[in-house]
Amino acid sequence: MVHASTGPDGGTPLRRTPRQARSRARLALLLEAAERILVGEGVEALTTTRVAAEAKVSVGSLYQYLPDRDAIIESLASGYFARLEGVMDDLVRTAAREQGREREQEQGQGEGAGQGQGQGRWDDPVGLLVDTFARVYRTEHGFRALWFGSGLTERTRAADREHKRRMADGVRRVLLALGVARDDAALARACHAAILAADALAQEAFRRTPEGDADLLDEAKAMLRSYLTQVVARYAPG
């Protein structure tokens, strides 16, 4: 489901920002109609007339919220970005909780604390991150249709760059939560590079097949493991 949200650059592409529950629900229905067209017919079909017809509302009603095709595309993109960033936030919180539990266990074990460390869900953080976002890509058909189409606006492309920076910050926070790095400019830069590479490989994997080319995703994991292992090695004690 597509949720109504602010614009992809933190502002809003909407002509009218819905504040009441009824208005928000109406906008959500308009965006759901737009997503059905996007998935079924492609980004080129996302016209205000076509979306209004699919949503069974007048074009005038659509114009209250989505004044043109660019606003439709930007609002859809904003929802997809928010979904992906929400998943990353959940992973950061999970990493912090798991690391906290490990510390408590180490304190309770005393001298034998180091044995078995890192054997939980976060034993392979790169694999976990890639697999988690691959599952999102598989279910977000509209996201794939939008990104693989040719109708992205300049505003959406700029928003995508900011989205990647926020995703990179999520990777940075995961590494910090796991206690394997120190917060500095070099870490932020390395995480941004990792996200740019991972995004390019993920897009290619899902261009090849809707399920994501498993071999290419495995190559992405191998590359990112090697790179991030080198990154965290910089922070290892003397």
Side-chain angles (χ1 to χ4, degrees):
M1 176 181 290
V2 178
H3 298 282
S5 56
T6 57
D9 62 355
T12 175
L14 306 178
R15 172 168 286 170
R16 169 186 167 191
T17 302
R19 302 192 182 281
Q20 297 182 345
R22 181 182 298 177
S23 296
R24 290 195 297 271
R26 185 175 298 122
L27 175 58
L29 288 174
L30 293 173
L31 291 175
E32 286 170 11
E35 185 174 51
R36 288 195 298 273
I37 296 168
L38 173 63
V39 172
E41 303 173 35
V43 67
E44 295 79 9
L46 281 176
T47 65
T48 52
T49 303
R50 181 70 184 85
V51 172
E54 177 69 19
K56 297 180 173 58
V57 301
S58 68
V59 173
S61 295
L62 177 71
Y63 282 168
Q64 292 182 49
Y65 303 99
L66 301 166
D68 54 33
R69 182 173 177 272
D70 284 0
I72 296 169
I73 291 172
E74 289 158 11
S75 293
L76 287 170
S78 180
Y80 299 137
F81 291 153
R83 164 88 168 112
L84 290 165
E85 290 165 21
V87 171
M88 179 64 83
D89 288 342
D90 287 343
L91 287 169
V92 172
R93 286 189 289 269
T94 301
R97 284 196 301 270
E98 300 248 345
Q99 186 67 8
R101 279 195 288 268
E102 281 192 8
R103 290 196 187 101
E104 291 175 0
Q105 290 172 0
E106 288 174 4
Q107 291 170 0
Q109 291 171 355
E111 293 298 325
Q115 298 178 1
Q117 184 176 358
Q119 297 303 309
R121 184 169 177 241
W122 286 91
D123 185 38
D124 178 18
V126 167
L128 179 60
L129 287 166
V130 171
D131 288 343
T132 298
F133 284 100
R135 284 194 293 272
V136 175
Y137 271 57
R138 289 184 188 106
T139 58
E140 292 287 358
H141 306 297
F143 178 79
R144 298 201 311 271
L146 184 61
W147 248 247
F148 298 161
S150 59
L152 293 182
T153 68
E154 284 304 312
R155 179 167 168 157
T156 301
R157 293 183 190 280
D160 181 45
R161 290 190 289 272
E162 290 306 310
H163 163 69
K164 288 184 174 65
R165 290 188 182 279
R166 291 192 291 272
M167 295 295 283
D169 186 64
V171 173
R172 178 190 66 85
R173 288 183 290 142
V174 165
L175 295 178
L176 292 175
L178 295 175
V180 297
R182 184 175 63 253
D183 197 6
D184 57 21
L187 179 64
R189 185 170 57 250
C191 291
H192 191 207
I195 280 292
L196 292 175
D199 182 76
L201 288 167
Q203 287 205 32
E204 178 60 27
F206 281 90
R207 283 182 193 277
R208 293 183 181 185
T209 168
E211 291 299 307
D213 185 293
D215 291 336
L216 189 55
L217 290 173
D218 284 342
E219 292 297 331
K221 292 176 189 177
M223 185 192 73
L224 291 169
R225 286 188 191 107
S226 177
Y227 176 63
L228 290 176
T229 295
Q230 294 179 51
V231 170
V232 301
R234 304 170 191 169
Y235 301 97

Coordinates of all heavy atoms in Angstrom, one line a residue, residues 143-203:
F143 N 7.9 0.4 -6.8 CA 9.2 1.0 -6.7 C 10.1 0.6 -7.9 O 10.7 1.4 -8.6 CB 9.9 0.6 -5.4 CG 11.3 1.1 -5.2 CD1 11.5 2.4 -4.8 CD2 12.3 0.2 -5.5 CE1 12.8 2.8 -4.6 CE2 13.6 0.7 -5.3 CZ 13.9 2.0 -4.9
R144 N 10.0 -0.7 -8.2 CA 10.8 -1.2 -9.4 C 10.3 -0.6 -10.7 O 11.1 -0.2 -11.5 CB 10.7 -2.7 -9.4 CG 11.3 -3.4 -8.2 CD 11.7 -4.9 -8.5 NE 10.6 -5.6 -9.2 CZ 9.6 -6.3 -8.6 NH1 9.6 -6.3 -7.3 NH2 8.7 -6.9 -9.3
A145 N 9.0 -0.5 -10.8 CA 8.4 0.0 -12.1 C 8.8 1.5 -12.3 O 9.1 1.9 -13.4 CB 6.9 -0.1 -12.1
L146 N 8.8 2.2 -11.2 CA 9.2 3.7 -11.3 C 10.7 3.8 -11.6 O 11.0 4.6 -12.5 CB 8.9 4.3 -9.9 CG 9.1 5.8 -9.9 CD1 8.2 6.6 -10.9 CD2 8.8 6.4 -8.5
W147 N 11.5 3.1 -10.9 CA 13.0 3.2 -11.1 C 13.5 2.7 -12.4 O 14.4 3.2 -13.0 CB 13.7 2.6 -9.9 CG 14.4 3.7 -9.2 CD1 15.7 4.0 -9.0 CD2 13.7 4.8 -8.5 NE1 15.9 5.1 -8.3 CE2 14.6 5.6 -7.9 CE3 12.3 5.0 -8.2 CZ2 14.3 6.7 -7.2 CZ3 12.0 6.1 -7.5 CH2 13.0 7.0 -7.0
F148 N 12.8 1.7 -13.0 CA 13.2 1.1 -14.2 C 12.5 1.8 -15.4 O 12.9 1.4 -16.6 CB 12.9 -0.4 -14.2 CG 13.7 -1.2 -13.1 CD1 13.3 -2.4 -12.7 CD2 14.8 -0.6 -12.5 CE1 13.9 -3.1 -11.7 CE2 15.4 -1.3 -11.5 CZ 15.0 -2.5 -11.1
G149 N 11.6 2.7 -15.1 CA 11.0 3.4 -16.2 C 11.8 4.6 -16.6 O 13.0 4.8 -16.2
S150 N 11.3 5.5 -17.5 CA 12.1 6.6 -18.0 C 11.5 7.9 -17.6 O 11.8 9.0 -18.2 CB 12.2 6.5 -19.5 OG 10.8 6.5 -20.1
G151 N 10.6 7.9 -16.6 CA 9.8 9.2 -16.3 C 10.2 9.9 -15.1 O 9.4 10.7 -14.6
L152 N 11.4 9.6 -14.5 CA 11.7 10.2 -13.2 C 12.0 11.7 -13.5 O 12.6 12.1 -14.5 CB 13.0 9.6 -12.7 CG 12.9 8.1 -12.2 CD1 14.3 7.7 -11.6 CD2 11.8 8.0 -11.1
T153 N 11.5 12.5 -12.5 CA 11.7 13.9 -12.6 C 13.0 14.3 -12.0 O 13.7 13.6 -11.2 CB 10.6 14.7 -11.8 OG1 10.8 14.4 -10.4 CG2 9.2 14.2 -12.3
E154 N 13.5 15.5 -12.3 CA 14.8 16.0 -11.7 C 14.7 16.1 -10.2 O 15.6 15.8 -9.5 CB 15.1 17.4 -12.3 CG 15.7 17.3 -13.7 CD 16.9 16.3 -13.8 OE1 17.8 16.5 -13.0 OE2 16.9 15.5 -14.7
R155 N 13.5 16.5 -9.7 CA 13.3 16.6 -8.3 C 13.4 15.2 -7.6 O 13.9 15.1 -6.6 CB 11.9 17.2 -8.0 CG 11.6 17.4 -6.6 CD 10.4 18.3 -6.4 NE 9.8 18.2 -5.1 CZ 9.1 19.2 -4.5 NH1 8.8 20.3 -5.2 NH2 8.6 19.1 -3.3
T156 N 12.8 14.2 -8.3 CA 12.9 12.9 -7.8 C 14.3 12.3 -7.8 O 14.7 11.6 -6.9 CB 12.0 11.9 -8.6 OG1 10.6 12.4 -8.5 CG2 12.0 10.5 -8.0
R157 N 15.1 12.6 -8.8 CA 16.5 12.2 -8.9 C 17.3 12.8 -7.8 O 18.1 12.2 -7.1 CB 17.1 12.5 -10.2 CG 16.5 11.7 -11.4 CD 17.2 12.1 -12.7 NE 16.4 11.5 -13.8 CZ 16.5 10.2 -14.2 NH1 17.3 9.4 -13.5 NH2 15.8 9.8 -15.2
A158 N 17.0 14.1 -7.5 CA 17.7 14.8 -6.4 C 17.3 14.2 -5.1 O 18.1 14.0 -4.2 CB 17.4 16.3 -6.4
A159 N 16.0 13.8 -4.9 CA 15.5 13.2 -3.7 C 16.2 11.8 -3.5 O 16.4 11.4 -2.4 CB 14.0 13.1 -3.7
D160 N 16.4 11.1 -4.6 CA 17.0 9.8 -4.5 C 18.4 9.9 -4.0 O 18.9 9.1 -3.2 CB 17.0 9.2 -5.9 CG 17.6 7.8 -5.9 OD1 17.3 7.0 -5.0 OD2 18.4 7.5 -6.8
R161 N 19.1 11.0 -4.4 CA 20.5 11.2 -3.9 C 20.5 11.4 -2.4 O 21.3 10.9 -1.6 CB 21.2 12.4 -4.6 CG 21.5 12.1 -6.1 CD 22.4 13.1 -6.7 NE 21.7 14.4 -6.9 CZ 21.0 14.7 -8.0 NH1 21.0 13.8 -9.0 NH2 20.4 15.8 -8.1
E162 N 19.5 12.2 -1.9 CA 19.4 12.4 -0.5 C 18.9 11.1 0.2 O 19.4 10.9 1.4 CB 18.4 13.6 -0.2 CG 18.9 14.9 -0.6 CD 20.2 15.2 0.0 OE1 20.4 15.1 1.2 OE2 21.2 15.6 -0.7
H163 N 18.1 10.4 -0.4 CA 17.6 9.1 0.2 C 18.8 8.2 0.4 O 19.0 7.5 1.4 CB 16.6 8.5 -0.8 CG 16.4 7.0 -0.6 ND1 15.8 6.5 0.5 CD2 16.7 5.9 -1.4 CE1 15.7 5.2 0.4 NE2 16.3 4.8 -0.7
K164 N 19.7 8.1 -0.6 CA 20.9 7.2 -0.5 C 21.8 7.7 0.7 O 22.4 6.9 1.4 CB 21.7 7.2 -1.8 CG 21.0 6.4 -2.9 CD 21.8 6.3 -4.1 CE 21.2 5.4 -5.2 NZ 20.0 5.9 -5.7
R165 N 21.9 9.0 0.9 CA 22.7 9.5 2.0 C 22.0 9.1 3.3 O 22.7 8.7 4.3 CB 22.8 11.0 1.9 CG 23.7 11.5 0.8 CD 23.9 13.0 0.9 NE 24.7 13.5 -0.2 CZ 26.0 13.3 -0.3 NH1 26.7 12.8 0.7 NH2 26.7 13.8 -1.4
R166 N 20.7 9.1 3.4 CA 20.0 8.6 4.6 C 20.2 7.1 4.8 O 20.4 6.7 6.0 CB 18.6 9.0 4.6 CG 18.3 10.5 4.7 CD 16.8 10.8 4.9 NE 16.0 10.6 3.8 CZ 15.8 11.4 2.8 NH1 16.3 12.6 2.8 NH2 15.0 11.1 1.8
M167 N 20.2 6.4 3.7 CA 20.4 4.9 3.8 C 21.8 4.7 4.3 O 22.1 3.8 5.1 CB 20.1 4.3 2.5 CG 18.7 4.3 2.1 SD 17.5 3.4 3.2 CE 17.9 1.8 2.7
A168 N 22.8 5.4 3.7 CA 24.2 5.3 4.2 C 24.3 5.6 5.6 O 25.1 4.9 6.4 CB 25.1 6.2 3.3
D169 N 23.6 6.6 6.1 CA 23.7 6.9 7.5 C 23.1 5.8 8.4 O 23.6 5.5 9.5 CB 22.9 8.2 7.8 CG 23.0 8.7 9.3 OD1 24.1 9.0 9.7 OD2 22.0 8.6 10.0
G170 N 22.1 5.0 7.8 CA 21.6 3.9 8.5 C 22.7 2.8 8.6 O 22.8 2.2 9.7
V171 N 23.4 2.6 7.6 CA 24.5 1.6 7.6 C 25.6 2.0 8.7 O 26.1 1.2 9.5 CB 25.2 1.4 6.3 CG1 26.4 0.5 6.4 CG2 24.2 0.8 5.3
R172 N 25.9 3.3 8.7 CA 26.8 3.8 9.7 C 26.3 3.6 11.1 O 27.0 3.1 12.0 CB 27.0 5.4 9.5 CG 27.9 6.0 10.5 CD 27.8 7.6 10.4 NE 26.5 8.1 10.7 CZ 26.1 8.3 12.0 NH1 27.0 8.2 13.0 NH2 24.9 8.8 12.2
R173 N 25.0 3.8 11.3 CA 24.4 3.6 12.7 C 24.4 2.1 13.0 O 24.6 1.8 14.2 CB 23.0 4.2 12.7 CG 23.0 5.7 12.7 CD 21.6 6.3 12.9 NE 20.8 6.1 11.7 CZ 19.5 5.7 11.7 NH1 18.9 5.6 12.8 NH2 18.9 5.6 10.6
V174 N 24.2 1.2 12.1 CA 24.3 -0.2 12.3 C 25.7 -0.6 12.8 O 25.9 -1.3 13.8 CB 23.9 -1.0 11.1 CG1 24.3 -2.5 11.3 CG2 22.4 -1.0 10.8
L175 N 26.7 -0.1 12.1 CA 28.1 -0.5 12.5 C 28.4 0.1 13.8 O 29.1 -0.6 14.6 CB 29.1 0.1 11.4 CG 29.0 -0.5 10.0 CD1 29.9 0.1 9.0 CD2 29.2 -2.0 10.1
L176 N 28.0 1.3 14.1 CA 28.2 1.9 15.5 C 27.5 1.1 16.5 O 28.0 0.8 17.6 CB 27.8 3.3 15.5 CG 28.6 4.3 14.6 CD1 28.0 5.7 14.6 CD2 30.1 4.4 15.1
A177 N 26.2 0.7 16.2 CA 25.5 -0.1 17.2 C 26.1 -1.4 17.5 O 26.1 -1.9 18.6 CB 24.0 -0.3 16.7
L178 N 26.8 -2.0 16.5 CA 27.5 -3.3 16.7 C 28.8 -3.1 17.3 O 29.5 -4.1 17.6 CB 27.6 -4.0 15.3 CG 26.3 -4.5 14.7 CD1 26.6 -5.0 13.3 CD2 25.5 -5.5 15.5
G179 N 29.2 -1.9 17.5 CA 30.5 -1.6 18.2 C 31.7 -2.0 17.4 O 32.8 -2.3 18.0
V180 N 31.7 -1.9 16.1 CA 32.8 -2.3 15.3 C 33.5 -1.1 14.6 O 34.4 -1.3 13.8 CB 32.4 -3.3 14.2 CG1 31.9 -4.6 14.9 CG2 31.3 -2.8 13.3
A181 N 33.0 0.1 14.8 CA 33.6 1.3 14.2 C 33.5 2.5 15.1 O 32.8 2.5 16.1 CB 32.9 1.6 12.9
R182 N 34.2 3.6 14.7 CA 34.1 4.8 15.4 C 33.5 5.9 14.5 O 33.7 5.9 13.3 CB 35.6 5.2 15.8 CG 35.6 6.5 16.7 CD 37.1 6.8 17.1 NE 37.9 7.1 15.9 CZ 38.9 6.2 15.5 NH1 39.0 5.1 16.0 NH2 39.6 6.6 14.4
D183 N 32.7 6.7 15.1 CA 31.9 7.7 14.4 C 32.9 8.8 13.9 O 33.3 9.7 14.7 CB 30.8 8.3 15.2 CG 29.7 9.0 14.4 OD1 29.9 8.9 13.1 OD2 28.8 9.5 14.9
D184 N 33.2 8.8 12.6 CA 34.0 9.9 12.0 C 33.6 10.1 10.6 O 32.8 9.4 10.0 CB 35.5 9.7 12.2 CG 36.0 8.3 11.6 OD1 35.2 7.8 10.7 OD2 37.0 7.8 12.0
A185 N 34.2 11.1 9.9 CA 33.9 11.4 8.6 C 34.3 10.3 7.6 O 33.6 10.0 6.6 CB 34.6 12.7 8.1
A186 N 35.4 9.6 7.9 CA 35.8 8.5 7.1 C 34.7 7.4 7.1 O 34.5 6.7 6.0 CB 37.1 7.9 7.5
L187 N 34.1 7.1 8.2 CA 33.1 6.0 8.3 C 31.9 6.5 7.5 O 31.3 5.7 6.7 CB 32.7 5.8 9.7 CG 31.6 4.7 9.9 CD1 32.1 3.4 9.4 CD2 31.2 4.7 11.4
A188 N 31.5 7.7 7.6 CA 30.3 8.2 6.8 C 30.6 8.1 5.3 O 29.7 7.7 4.5 CB 30.0 9.6 7.2
R189 N 31.8 8.4 4.9 CA 32.1 8.4 3.5 C 32.1 6.9 3.0 O 31.6 6.6 1.9 CB 33.5 9.0 3.3 CG 33.9 9.1 1.8 CD 35.2 10.0 1.7 NE 36.3 9.5 2.5 CZ 36.7 10.1 3.6 NH1 36.2 11.3 4.0 NH2 37.8 9.7 4.3
A190 N 32.7 6.0 3.8 CA 32.7 4.6 3.4 C 31.3 4.0 3.3 O 31.1 3.2 2.4 CB 33.6 3.8 4.4
C191 N 30.5 4.3 4.2 CA 29.1 3.8 4.2 C 28.3 4.4 3.0 O 27.5 3.6 2.4 CB 28.4 4.2 5.5 SG 29.0 3.3 6.9
H192 N 28.6 5.6 2.6 CA 28.0 6.2 1.4 C 28.4 5.4 0.2 O 27.6 5.1 -0.7 CB 28.3 7.7 1.3 CG 27.5 8.4 0.3 ND1 27.9 9.5 -0.4 CD2 26.2 8.1 -0.2 CE1 27.0 9.9 -1.2 NE2 26.0 9.1 -1.2
A193 N 29.7 5.1 0.1 CA 30.3 4.4 -1.0 C 29.6 3.0 -1.1 O 29.3 2.5 -2.2 CB 31.8 4.3 -0.9
A194 N 29.5 2.3 0.1 CA 28.9 1.0 0.1 C 27.5 1.0 -0.4 O 27.0 0.1 -1.1 CB 29.0 0.5 1.5
I195 N 26.7 2.0 0.0 CA 25.3 2.1 -0.4 C 25.2 2.4 -1.9 O 24.4 1.7 -2.6 CB 24.6 3.2 0.4 CG1 24.2 2.7 1.7 CG2 23.3 3.7 -0.4 CD1 23.1 1.6 1.7
L196 N 26.0 3.2 -2.5 CA 26.0 3.5 -3.9 C 26.3 2.2 -4.7 O 25.6 1.9 -5.7 CB 27.0 4.6 -4.2 CG 26.7 6.0 -3.7 CD1 27.8 6.9 -4.0 CD2 25.4 6.5 -4.3
A197 N 27.3 1.4 -4.2 CA 27.6 0.2 -4.9 C 26.5 -0.8 -4.8 O 26.1 -1.5 -5.8 CB 28.9 -0.4 -4.4
A198 N 26.0 -1.0 -3.6 CA 24.9 -1.9 -3.3 C 23.7 -1.6 -4.1 O 23.0 -2.5 -4.7 CB 24.6 -2.0 -1.8
D199 N 23.3 -0.3 -4.2 CA 22.1 0.1 -4.9 C 22.3 -0.2 -6.4 O 21.3 -0.7 -7.0 CB 21.9 1.6 -4.7 CG 20.6 2.1 -5.4 OD1 19.5 1.8 -4.9 OD2 20.8 2.7 -6.5
A200 N 23.4 0.0 -7.0 CA 23.6 -0.2 -8.4 C 23.5 -1.7 -8.7 O 22.9 -2.2 -9.7 CB 25.0 0.3 -8.8
L201 N 24.1 -2.6 -7.8 CA 24.0 -4.0 -8.0 C 22.6 -4.5 -7.8 O 22.1 -5.4 -8.5 CB 25.0 -4.7 -7.1 CG 26.5 -4.5 -7.4 CD1 27.4 -5.0 -6.3 CD2 26.8 -5.3 -8.7
A202 N 21.9 -4.0 -6.8 CA 20.5 -4.4 -6.5 C 19.6 -4.1 -7.7 O 18.8 -4.9 -8.1 CB 20.0 -3.8 -5.3
Q203 N 19.8 -2.9 -8.3 CA 19.0 -2.5 -9.4 C 19.2 -3.4 -10.6 O 18.3 -3.9 -11.3 CB 19.2 -1.0 -9.8 CG 18.7 0.0 -8.8 CD 18.4 1.3 -9.4 OE1 18.1 1.4 -10.6 NE2 18.5 2.3 -8.6

